[in-house]
Amino acid sequence: MKAIAAGIGVVCLSPLLLAGTAMMVAAASSEAAETTSGFSGCLHDVDTDTVTKQVTKILDGASGKDVKVEGLSLPAEQVPNAQTIVATGLSLDVPKRGQIVALATAMQESRLRNLGSGDRDSLGLFQQRPSQGWGTAQQIRDPVYASERFYKALVKVKGWEQMTVTQAAQAVQKSGLPDAYAQWEPLATALQKAIAATFPSTGSDKPSDGDSKDSDNPAAGCGPAEDGSSYGRIPEGSVPKGYTIPKNADPKARKAIDWAMHQLGTMYQWGGSCTAAHGPDPMGRCDCSSLMQQAYAKAGVKLTRTTYTQVNEGKAVSPSKLQPGDLIFSRGSAQRPEHVGMFMGAGLVIEAPRTGKPVRITPLKDWAILAVRRVL
């Protein structure tokens, strides 16, 4: 895979780079060329604190025309892509070092732009090639998919944690410019620090390796007729045949459940806001607690953002006395659960489960309930 590059002015390269290595190749597309226009300087002089402030403003909705980020010529486009890369790394439990490698790679390959073309059949943030087994063109153009594939390839590299950034990136990319990634390490480090700080603290909502099913035993206090088992296997992203929101449900709970059901089939995104789950921006998708937060927001009920805080919302309820709209917590501990879903009645729960899975409905029997909170 050859990196896409264009003239970006004088760049101070890492000492690891071989003397005389050419820093650029002809741009493979006009898109790639645009990403680097107007930038020159020594990337080793990146002011991390300043970049953090600039990136935070962009993520808070400031215009890229008003906020300049050192090293990024199109921050309004590049920062959200960097955010997706970091969020995907966090959701896959990839250490900070791996996230920096991924960011540096994407900056070298595409200047953090989701390109529709490149060298030969290269596409997307990492310029992955369908012909080399990275996925279909459509998949590679999905920033979450592309990031996942990069990370999965990276962690398979033996000893990658001990490698330099450029060595680790090259082990995955096999670029024609194997030393070029190093120049982006300072900026990648600053971006990772800035973006990681914007996500829910202490790993809240961070998915485990398993699904919501934590135990083969039914939830305490729920008889067979109330555990959802009568629906059989529920295809992901679908509504079980015969289910309707119970007529006796609180009107606000009905509204929250109905809104959550409209997000069925949209892909999970750790740290996603759930404000535009059907839109093109991965960070508009839902994680478990943002699904709860936004569903209840549509019903006029304000919830906090994370599972760690939502478990303190409203009042505690016994699992044997569930009502539609109750929040159900699992994984971790009752004091610090790591996952949350919403009881829909009829023994069903709607949830945003984990990376690689869509918003879906699952039977209550698959949940090992740690806590229940009624927020109405």
Side-chain angles (χ1 to χ4, degrees):
M1 185 181 302
K2 293 185 178 180
I4 293 178
I8 62 173
V10 179
V11 177
C12 296
L13 298 180
S14 163
L16 295 168
L17 296 185
L18 299 176
T21 300
M23 292 169 51
M24 312 303 148
V25 295
S29 72
S30 59
E31 288 183 284
E34 291 174 7
T35 67
T36 58
S37 62
F39 172 69
S40 63
C42 179
L43 291 177
H44 286 295
D45 293 336
V46 170
D47 184 331
T48 299
D49 291 337
T50 298
V51 169
T52 297
K53 293 178 182 178
Q54 294 165 337
V55 167
T56 301
K57 289 180 181 179
I58 292 290
L59 294 177
D60 285 342
S63 170
K65 296 179 180 178
D66 301 326
V67 180
K68 306 301 180 183
V69 180
E70 183 179 3
L72 301 181
S73 59
L74 298 169
E77 178 179 356
Q78 294 162 306
V79 170
N81 286 331
Q83 184 187 46
T84 297
I85 292 171
V86 172
T88 304
L90 288 168
S91 72
L92 295 174
D93 286 327
V94 177
K96 173 182 176 181
R97 180 71 170 174
Q99 297 166 38
I100 292 171
V101 172
L103 287 169
T105 301
M107 281 188 277
Q108 172 60 26
E109 296 289 355
S110 69
R111 298 302 186 267
L112 283 173
R113 297 190 68 192
N114 192 17
L115 300 180
S117 61
D119 178 54
R120 285 173 282 190
D121 59 339
S122 298
L123 297 167
L125 291 173
F126 297 91
Q127 289 291 280
Q128 294 156 332
R129 298 177 59 192
S131 65
Q132 299 301 308
W134 287 95
T136 65
Q138 182 178 7
Q139 288 174 324
I140 292 171
R141 290 296 308 283
D142 180 339
V144 175
Y145 174 89
S147 299
E148 287 180 2
R149 285 301 309 269
F150 178 85
Y151 284 124
K152 289 177 180 178
L154 175 65
V155 298
K156 289 181 181 179
V157 176
K158 186 176 181 180
W160 72 267
E161 301 95 328
Q162 288 74 49
M163 294 179 180
T164 64
V165 166
T166 198
Q167 288 171 339
Q170 175 61 8
V172 175
Q173 299 295 99
K174 299 177 175 59
S175 168
L177 295 175
D179 300 313
Y181 304 102
Q183 62 187 296
W184 301 106
E185 181 175 356
L187 181 54
T189 301
L191 286 173
Q192 193 282 333
K193 178 181 178 181
I195 292 169
T198 68
F199 289 118
S201 61
T202 62
S204 174
D205 302 326
K206 199 169 185 179
S208 67
D209 291 334
D211 292 340
S212 60
K213 183 174 181 179
D214 295 298
S215 170
D216 291 330
N217 299 320
C222 299
E226 300 296 329
D227 66 0
S229 58
S230 61
Y231 289 102
R233 181 182 175 276
I234 304 171
E236 290 188 336
S238 68
V239 179
K241 185 177 181 180
Y243 171 80
T244 58
I245 301 174
K247 294 181 180 179
N248 63 347
D250 183 286
K252 290 185 177 180
R254 291 179 61 86
K255 195 166 186 178
I257 293 169
D258 179 73
W259 188 88
M261 289 172 64
H262 279 82
Q263 316 315 311
L264 285 169
T266 62
M267 296 305 292
Y268 176 100
Q269 175 61 55
W270 188 82
S273 66
C274 202
T275 54
H278 295 274
D281 181 3
M283 298 314 298
R285 300 173 187 170
C286 309
D287 65 15
C288 66
S289 64
S290 66
L291 178 63
M292 304 298 106
Q293 183 188 48
Q294 293 303 317
Y296 265 112
K298 299 304 181 290
V301 178
K302 185 176 180 179
L303 297 183
T304 52
R305 174 63 180 85
T306 72
T307 55
Y308 295 161
T309 54
Q310 287 178 1
V311 75
N312 296 313
E313 301 273 7
K315 62 180 180 180
V317 177
S318 168
S320 65
K321 299 184 182 299
L322 284 168
Q323 292 182 8
D326 286 346
L327 303 186
I328 300 175
F329 297 85
S330 68
R331 305 178 191 158
S333 67
Q335 292 72 37
R336 291 183 66 79
E338 297 174 356
H339 187 57
V340 62
M342 184 185 296
F343 184 61
M344 303 172 63
L348 299 174
V349 184
I350 190 166
E351 62 167 349
R354 63 181 175 89
T355 297
K357 293 288 185 178
V359 174
R360 64 187 184 183
I361 295 172
T362 52
L364 191 61
K365 70 180 181 64
D366 286 356
W367 285 69
I369 299 178
L370 297 174
V372 178
R373 303 295 294 194
R374 186 162 298 154
V375 298
L376 297 174

